[in-house]
Each structure stands twice: as structure tokens, then as C-alpha cells.
Amino acid sequence: MDDRFIAVDWGTTNRRCYLLDGAGTVIETFRDDRGVLAVGQQGGGPEAFAAEVAAIRARLGDWPLVAAGMVGSQRGWALVPYLSCPASGGQVAGALHAIDARTWIVPGLSDPRGDVMRGEEVQLLGAVAAGLAPPDALLCQPGTHCKWARMEGGAVASFFTSMTGEMFALLRGHSLLAEFLNGPVADGPAFRAGVDASADGALLKALFGVRASALLGLRAVGDSAAYASGLLIGSDVRGAGVGAGREVHLLADPVLGALYTAAIAQCGGRSHLIDSHAAFVAGIVQIRTQIWSLARDC
């Protein structure tokens, strides 16, 4: 029996499609801009998503398909209820939404304290399943909305979201600080000064000081963006309780990974960078294996 299947990491603006075998070997993959917003702009609705999946199968083959991410949101193919934490890979697989006998959507997770995620849970579970992170660990997924997840026994025990990346984008594009935030953002003296300043806990005060320091010549205008980024990321890291000796496993691209690695080290912690694509593949294979197991038990 051929155990190949298609996995889709279907986000708001982009998606990545994989043709995999049951062992998790990537046979073929592609990425495009056909996120849920793009499908919605062309009419949306179940018929539009069904047509998208038909096109994916025309390209990768007529295989079973498991999709994760915003495709399960109110903007997506079907509104799939969140699964409450704590949640294991087996529980996620048991809560899949079946579009038909060969097509499923991963449910996403909620935290009882008031938080949600769609898509990130596959990477979190996969990081542990692949041995990229230990079963009991603190995982971080930097981005527009940074996710911090506590893993216990390989399950997602709890998580919270910080609007770190979105806040920086808003400040850079629409705030009083905008004209001062055109410089580069990279690990260096200005970024680390921002991380250091975040220890005061007075983030709003410090952000206004970004403009004032530039106007008074206390900091070069070109360093303002890196300093503001350090303030935000430093606040994010400290808010997650990262301190002396704390281990953090980062699912991040190299650019954000370098910034969070620097901030975590400055706060006394230690980071481990994980390949987020490898984690997604391992997570979706674990879910697919559970589908097979559930089908055999029926």
C-alpha cells in the first residue's frame, strides 16, 4: 500500500504544500501566495477551497490531504472548533475535521486562559516527535504574533501569544516613531541596549524615549529601529519568564532566530534553534499516522 499523502501548512497570506511518504520523507514541496485571504478575495466559500485542493492534487498527485492553519478558521474552508489544552498529538488527530473521506483539517488549539493558535500546534508537537526538543520544554515561535508554549510529556500543556512583530510593524508604519524607525534591525549595540532597557518594565515610557533620544542626539537616528526592536523583543522574552539558566527552543527563521537568541542570552537564558519546516513535517506525519491507527481500530 502506498502511504504517500499531501500536507498543507495553510496560512493567512501564504501556504506551503508537501508531498510526503509515511516516514516523513519530503518527495516534493512548493510554496505560494494562495493563503486564505487570496482565496477569499476570489469569492471564498467551500467551493473555492475545494477548487484549490483539486489544483494541489493535480500538481502533487491524487493523494489523501491533511491541512493545518487558517484554513480551519472562519475565513477558511470550514470553521473547525479549537481543541483545548493540554493536547497531545493523538488528541489533535482525534479531533480532525473531515471534509471527506480523504481530506482533513487540523483543529488548532485554545488555552483556557484566553488564547488561540492555528497551525503552530503542528510544529510544536512535531518538534518533540522528531526529537528536536525534549518532551518537557519551553518552545517559542517568533513572528507577527509570537507564540510561547510549555510542553509537558510531549503535549502542549499551555501557551500564550505576544503581538511583538505586529506592534513593531504598527510603530514603524503608523506611529509617532515611524520616521525614526527606517534603519536596519540586527543584533548589535543598539539592539542590546533596547533589550537591557526592557528590564525596567516601563515599555510605553521607553518607546516614547526612542523619539526623544533621537531628537536630543542621545542616540543616532539610524539606531532607533534596532533599539525599539530590542525593547519589544526583550519585553517579550522577559514576559515569558526567561531568566538565568532557562532553556528555550526556537522555531524561527535565521533573522528572527538571531534576534531572539541574543535577547534570550542577554536575559540569562540559552536558546536552541529548530528547523520549523522539519518540525511541521514531523508533526503532520504524527497526525497522519494517528489517522491510520484510528481507521484500523474502527
Side-chain angles (χ1 to χ4, degrees):
M1 175 176 138
D2 199 321
D3 58 2
R4 280 182 283 184
F5 72 102
I6 297 168
V8 185
D9 187 0
W10 209 323
T12 302
T13 56
N14 299 290
R15 70 182 177 193
R16 184 179 291 274
C17 303
Y18 303 82
L19 175 61
L20 306 167
D21 65 18
T25 302
V26 179
I27 300 168
E28 186 177 349
T29 183
F30 70 89
R31 182 179 184 273
D32 61 25
D33 61 359
R34 300 296 296 162
V36 297
L37 289 183
V39 179
Q41 287 169 358
Q42 294 187 354
E47 298 81 7
F49 283 94
E52 291 289 329
V53 166
I56 292 171
R57 283 183 164 130
R59 178 168 178 173
L60 296 180
D62 188 21
W63 304 105
L65 183 145
V66 184
M70 293 302 288
V71 68
S73 72
Q74 60 185 359
R75 294 177 173 178
W77 195 351
L79 179 55
V80 182
Y82 295 104
L83 181 65
S84 182
C85 288
S88 66
Q91 289 169 320
V92 169
L96 292 178
H97 176 82
I99 296 293
D100 56 43
R102 302 172 68 246
T103 311
W104 302 268
I105 298 177
V106 179
L109 301 182
S110 65
D111 188 285
R113 296 169 297 180
D115 212 326
V116 294
M117 66 167 63
R118 287 197 188 276
E120 294 93 347
E121 72 285 343
V122 178
Q123 292 184 12
L124 295 171
L125 295 165
V128 174
L132 302 172
D136 301 300
L138 177 64
L139 271 61
C140 175
Q141 296 164 298
T144 303
H145 300 143
C146 182
K147 303 290 186 184
W148 292 87
R150 183 169 56 89
M151 308 295 290
E152 291 184 355
V156 183
S158 63
F159 68 91
F160 71 87
T161 307
S162 299
M163 295 175 61
T164 316
E166 182 173 359
M167 184 59 66
F168 184 76
L170 289 170
L171 290 171
R172 202 173 211 178
H174 304 287
S175 77
L176 180 71
L177 307 181
E179 64 180 297
F180 298 92
L181 300 183
N182 295 320
V185 175
D187 181 23
F191 176 81
R192 296 194 177 212
V195 175
D196 186 55
S198 71
D200 290 344
L203 178 61
L204 298 180
K205 171 187 172 183
L207 284 172
F208 186 83
V210 172
R211 177 178 182 271
S213 294
L215 290 174
L216 295 173
L218 301 177
R219 181 177 303 105
V221 174
D223 288 337
S224 296
Y227 180 82
S229 178
L231 277 173
L232 291 169
I233 292 177
S235 295
D236 191 8
V237 169
R238 295 182 197 278
V242 176
R246 190 68 189 267
E247 303 273 336
V248 182
H249 290 76
L250 288 171
L251 292 144
D253 63 53
V255 175
L256 272 178
L259 294 176
Y260 271 79
T261 293
I264 288 166
Q266 197 165 336
C267 293
R270 181 183 176 190
S271 61
H272 307 272
L273 198 59
I274 295 173
D275 184 336
S276 59
H277 298 302
F280 176 84
V281 168
I284 210 73
V285 168
Q286 180 190 43
I287 290 169
R288 173 60 172 151
T289 301
Q290 291 288 336
I291 296 173
W292 288 332
S293 177
L294 290 170
R296 285 195 301 266
D297 292 342
C298 291

